[in-house]
C-alpha cells in the first residue's frame, strides 16, 4: 500500500519547503518528494534583495536555510519524480507509491525554451538557462541574454560583471521587468540592448559560435557570441496532475485564494498555480496557507 504520511508535498522549492515546515510545526508527519535538488529556481539567484526583513541573501543560502529547518523538525525528503496522483491521495513515483491524508502540489515552473533547432543539443555548449550557474565559463567573452522580464534583466546585470560584452535581446521595445534593473544596465558600457528583435537560429558545429537575429522588419543579421542565456519565462510542471486538478490554457493549476484545487485533500502552492504575482514572498505565503488549510481540513480518521 505504500508508506503513509499526514501530508505529502510534491516539490522542494520555497513553496513546498514552507508547506512542509508549517505542516511539521503543526505536529504532522510530512514527506517531501522532489525530482531533482531542493530549492527550485531560487537557488540560481545570485542575490535576493526584495524579501521582507532580509537586506540581501543568495538564493542558495535562502533555500538551504529553509531545507535545514524542515530536516531539523523531522521532515522526510526523498528525491523521486512524481508521475501521478490519485484522487485518494496516493502519490506514485517510478519506484514506489506513498499515501497521505493531504497532498500539496508545489512543483513550480521550469525554464521555457526558444524552440529553435539544435537548442537542446547546444545546452552546455554555449546555450544556458542559468546565468549564475554558467556565467563564469564566459569570463571575458561575448554573450547574449534573451528576454524582457526580471530574470533576463538580472542575468544581464550579473553577466555584465563577468563577460566582456553583453547583448540583451528582447522582442518588444520596452521591458516587463523592474525599471531599476533597466536603468542599471543602461549605465553599463559593456551592455547593448537589441530591441524589437528575436533569435531565429543558433550557429556552430560543436559549440555555439553565433546567432541569427530577426529585427522584425524582415532583416536577418548574424551576431557572433560565445554564449546565449535564455530567459523567456517559465512553464508550469503540472500536466501529470491533470486527472485531479483543473489547468488553464497555459497549464497552470486553477485554485482559489485558499489554494484548494477542487479535489478534496489536494492543494496547490507556488508558481505552478494561477496567480497574479510569482515571487518568493508569494510562494512562501502559498506554502504556509496550503499547509494550514490541509491541517485544518483533515478528518479525524486521517490523523
Amino acid at each position: 500500500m505504500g508508506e503513509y504520511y499526514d501530508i505529502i508535498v510534491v516539490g522542494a522549492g520555497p513553496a513546498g519547503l514552507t508547506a512542509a515546515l508549517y505542516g511539521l510545526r503543526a505536529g504532522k508527519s510530512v514527506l517531501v518528494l522532489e525530482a531533482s535538488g531542493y530549492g527550485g529556481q531560487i537557488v540560481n539567484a545570485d542575490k535576493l534583495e526584495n524579501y521582507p526583513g532580509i537586506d540581501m541573501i543568495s538564493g542558495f543560502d535562502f533555500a538551504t536555510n529553509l531545507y535545514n529547518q524542515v530536516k531539523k523538525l523531522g521532515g522526510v525528503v526523498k528525491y523521486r519524480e512524481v508521475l501521478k496522483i490519485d484522487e485518494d491521495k496516493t502519490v506514485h513515483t517510478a519506484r514506489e507509491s506513498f499515501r497521505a491524508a493531504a497532498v500539496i502540489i508545489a512543483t513550480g515552473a521550469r525554464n521555457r525554451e526558444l524552440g529553435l533547432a539544435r537548442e537542446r543539443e547546444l545546452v552546455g555548449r554555449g546555450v544556458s538557462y542559468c546565468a549564475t550557474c554558467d556565467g563564469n565559463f564566459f569570463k571575458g567573452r561575448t554573450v547574449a541574454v534573451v528576454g524582457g522580464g526580471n530574470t533576463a534583466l538580472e542575468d544581464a546585470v550579473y553577466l555584465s560583471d563577468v563577460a566582456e560584452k553583453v547583448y540583451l535581446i528582447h522582442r518588444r521595445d520596452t521591458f516587463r521587468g523592474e525599471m531599476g534593473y533597466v536603468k542599471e544596465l543602461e549605465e553599463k558600457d559593456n551592455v547593448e540592448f537589441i530591441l524589437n528583435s528575436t533569435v531565429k537560429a543558433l550557429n556552430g558545429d560543436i559549440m555555439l559560435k553565433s546567432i541569427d537575429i530577426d529585427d522584425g522588419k524582415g532583416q536577418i543579421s548574424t551576431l557572433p557570441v560565445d554564449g546565449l542565456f535564455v530567459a523567456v519565462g517559465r512553464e508550469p510542471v503540472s500536466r501529470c496532475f491533470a486527472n485531479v486538478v483543473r489547468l488553464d490554457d497555459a497549464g497552470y493549476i486553477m485554485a482559489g485564494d485558499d489554494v484548494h484545487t477542487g479535489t478534496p485533500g489536494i492543494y496547490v502552492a507556488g508558481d505552478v498555480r494561477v496567480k497574479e504575482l510569482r515571487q518568493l514572498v508569494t510562494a512562501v505565503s502559498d506554502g504556509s496557507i496550503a499547509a494550514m488549510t490541509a491541517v485544518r481540513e483533515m478528518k479525524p480518521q486521517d490523523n
Side-chain angles (χ1 to χ4, degrees):
M1 293 292 293
E3 297 177 30
Y4 177 88
Y5 293 85
D6 294 321
I7 299 173
I8 293 177
V9 179
V10 185
L17 290 174
T18 300
L21 176 65
Y22 272 71
L24 290 162
R25 289 181 62 85
K28 304 303 180 183
S29 60
V30 178
L31 168 67
V32 180
L33 295 172
E34 167 58 44
S36 52
Y38 71 81
Q41 295 288 327
I42 203 67
V43 299
N44 299 324
D46 183 47
K47 55 184 178 181
L48 300 174
E49 298 179 294
N50 62 350
Y51 192 82
I54 299 178
D55 182 50
M56 185 177 71
I57 189 173
S58 73
F60 176 80
D61 286 344
F62 182 90
T64 299
N65 290 344
L66 189 50
Y67 174 82
N68 287 339
Q69 282 182 288
V70 170
K71 294 292 289 183
K72 184 178 180 180
L73 289 175
V76 178
V77 180
K78 295 190 177 186
Y79 292 96
R80 310 277 195 278
E81 180 180 4
V82 172
L83 303 178
K84 183 182 178 183
I85 300 173
D86 295 334
E87 287 191 22
D88 66 357
K89 279 88 73 183
T90 299
V91 180
H92 302 278
T93 72
R95 296 166 55 179
E96 54 203 318
S97 297
F98 304 91
R99 298 179 299 115
V103 176
I104 299 172
I105 301 171
T107 43
R110 58 189 163 215
N111 293 314
R112 181 177 289 115
E113 299 177 353
L114 293 173
L116 298 175
R118 302 188 64 225
E119 183 174 353
R120 293 187 181 182
E121 178 186 340
L122 289 170
V123 171
R125 299 180 178 183
V127 174
S128 173
Y129 302 89
C130 178
T132 55
C133 303
D134 301 326
N136 283 332
F137 294 117
F138 298 89
K139 187 173 183 179
R141 304 173 78 178
T142 299
V143 301
V145 177
V146 184
N150 276 342
T151 299
L153 297 175
E154 291 169 1
D155 286 355
V157 169
Y158 174 79
L159 290 166
S160 68
D161 293 328
V162 177
E164 180 180 7
K165 178 74 175 182
V166 178
Y167 295 101
L168 180 55
I169 305 167
H170 183 39
R171 61 180 177 172
R172 298 188 175 93
D173 59 357
T174 58
F175 294 99
R176 302 188 313 276
E178 297 176 19
M179 285 306 300
Y181 291 127
V182 176
K183 291 179 180 178
E184 183 177 355
L185 289 167
E186 289 175 336
E187 295 173 357
K188 289 181 175 288
D189 295 332
N190 65 334
V191 175
E192 180 178 338
F193 294 167
I194 301 179
L195 303 178
N196 296 311
S197 301
T198 56
V199 179
K200 288 298 183 181
L202 309 175
N203 308 313
D205 294 330
I206 299 175
M207 304 292 292
L208 181 70
K209 296 297 182 183
S210 66
I211 56 178
D212 289 348
I213 298 176
D214 185 341
D215 69 356
K217 300 176 182 179
Q219 294 294 319
I220 305 294
S221 59
T222 299
L223 184 68
V225 295
D226 302 298
L228 177 67
F229 292 85
V230 180
V232 293
R234 294 181 289 171
E235 53 189 6
V237 182
S238 61
R239 298 296 180 185
C240 62
F241 310 129
N243 62 308
V244 290
V245 301
R246 294 174 299 127
L247 305 178
D248 71 2
D249 292 340
Y252 289 95
I253 297 175
M254 301 173 69
D257 291 339
D258 54 5
V259 298
H260 284 96
T261 65
T263 300
I266 299 180
Y267 310 88
V268 62
D271 286 3
V272 72
R273 83 178 183 98
V274 174
K275 57 196 299 187
E276 189 68 27
L277 181 65
R278 292 186 175 87
Q279 290 285 307
L280 176 60
V281 69
T282 63
V284 299
S285 173
D286 282 354
S288 61
I289 294 170
M292 297 314 297
T293 303
V295 169
R296 183 180 69 248
E297 295 183 349
M298 281 184 188
K299 299 176 182 179
Q301 62 265 32
D302 291 334
N303 291 282

